[in-house]
Amino acid sequence: MIRVFEDLGLLTRAAADYVSDLAEQSIQESGRFTWLLCGGATPRPTFQLLGTKPYKGRTFWAKTHFYWGDERCVPPDSEQSNYRMARHNLLDGVATPDSQVHRMPGERRDYDAAADEYASILPDRPDLVLLGMGDDGHTASIFPGSLAIDEQDRRVMHVVAPEGVTPRDRLTITPSVIRSARRVLVLVSGQPKAHAMGKVFRPEGDEHRAPARLVREALWFADKMAAQEVLKMKLGYIELS
Ligand code: 6PG
């Protein structure tokens, strides 16, 4: 299902409402809300909105457990760190205890050990995996041609991003974690995403070239600029908000 919004502001408001409603529902059902975050620019305003009133005062933050779907292999205080982005824009504003913030240890030099250890603390069935999509069709740090696309055993792995992407060393969840989630929400914004979105939603295609095809069944929130190619496809599962 793709929901298309006039602009990033409306998309952001809908994403914040979606996360808050799901958090409350998850806590009612299981006593906790487990959420895997992504990096990138698109979710930043959603994090900022959730980190300010009235969202920041909601009681669900105390029972929220944060994890990450991918991380760049840099220290947590690096400007490239996905943890740092979430810390500054969201976590510093809400009442989630630090013991419930489980960042990926991007600074570890033994990448494989870091990935294995992180896999061991990930919930079996996270309530929400939040994802973005790059202009090249990657999602989490699963890039075109990556071994992570076909990984069957590991839930988290070290990958090397294509040349030109910085930093190249990343830790990422594999498709099995995405499949295990109760909900998957993908946020995409801006004209540079339009072509990749087209590649993801056209009937024929290859997830090795556009890994976000792995999450075609997820809920997508896109602004009109990002959705311009898919809007021409007249898909039955697009809703204009
Ligand atoms: C990361 C991400 C990545 C991101 C996309 C989209 O660590 O970079 O988790 O998958 O979501 O690259 O990024 P933008 O929102 O900046 O376009």
Side-chain angles (χ1 to χ4, degrees):
M1 162 80 171
I2 308 171
R3 280 181 66 189
V4 180
F5 299 87
E6 199 59 44
D7 56 34
L8 179 61
L10 292 171
L11 180 158
T12 295
R13 170 85 41 194
D17 286 339
Y18 181 87
V19 171
S20 313
D21 292 348
L22 183 63
E24 280 179 357
Q25 188 194 324
S26 304
I27 290 164
Q28 261 174 24
E29 285 168 18
S30 68
R32 58 184 358 223
F33 173 53
T34 50
W35 178 12
L36 272 64
L37 303 178
C38 60
T42 315
R44 192 181 299 138
T46 300
F47 291 176
Q48 286 168 347
L49 185 59
L50 285 167
T52 50
K53 284 181 185 169
Y55 298 95
K56 71 176 279 179
R58 304 275 286 267
T59 53
F60 61 75
W61 296 113
K63 293 185 175 170
T64 297
H65 295 250
F66 288 99
Y67 298 84
W68 273 259
D70 74 322
E71 182 57 279
R72 294 93 184 267
C73 292
V74 295
D77 58 355
S78 160
E79 293 208 345
Q80 293 177 317
S81 159
N82 287 345
Y83 163 76
R84 181 179 188 268
M85 193 280 272
R87 166 59 64 199
H88 282 211
N89 290 290
L90 171 61
L91 302 173
D92 281 345
V94 299
T96 302
D98 278 348
S99 60
Q100 292 168 206
V101 177
H102 310 280
R103 67 175 182 84
M104 278 183 162
E107 73 282 16
R108 292 268 307 270
R109 287 289 74 99
D110 187 340
Y111 301 133
D112 292 333
D116 288 350
E117 280 168 32
Y118 201 72
S120 74
I121 64 157
L122 272 183
D124 290 339
R125 192 160 154 66
D127 292 307
L128 176 63
V129 173
L130 182 71
L131 295 170
M133 182 190 66
D135 305 355
D136 60 356
H138 79 263
T139 191
S141 282
I142 309 176
F143 287 86
S146 172
L147 294 174
I149 297 166
D150 295 313
E151 175 63 32
Q152 299 295 326
D153 300 324
R154 286 172 292 180
R155 300 182 78 218
V156 181
M157 63 189 280
H158 166 241
V159 290
V160 180
E163 230 170 291
V165 177
T166 49
R168 293 185 71 189
D169 285 300
R170 310 275 181 119
L171 298 177
T172 187
I173 52 170
T174 60
S176 67
V177 174
I178 300 171
R179 283 193 294 268
S180 72
R182 286 182 58 217
R183 303 282 179 85
V184 179
L185 176 63
V186 188
L187 305 182
V188 273
S189 161
Q191 194 276 333
K193 302 290 167 72
H195 183 61
M197 238 191 126
K199 284 209 288 196
V200 168
F201 285 99
R202 64 176 177 235
E204 304 296 319
D206 180 357
E207 66 247 29
H208 296 91
R209 288 167 184 258
R213 286 183 71 88
L214 293 162
V215 292
R216 276 155 61 100
E217 305 298 317
L219 177 61
W220 288 64
F221 284 2
D223 64 12
K224 266 200 165 151
M225 297 299 271
Q228 52 190 272
E229 281 202 19
V230 288
L231 283 169
K232 291 181 204 148
M233 293 179 189
K234 311 231 178 307
L235 304 170
Y237 47 88
I238 294 195
E239 183 187 291
L240 288 171
S241 289

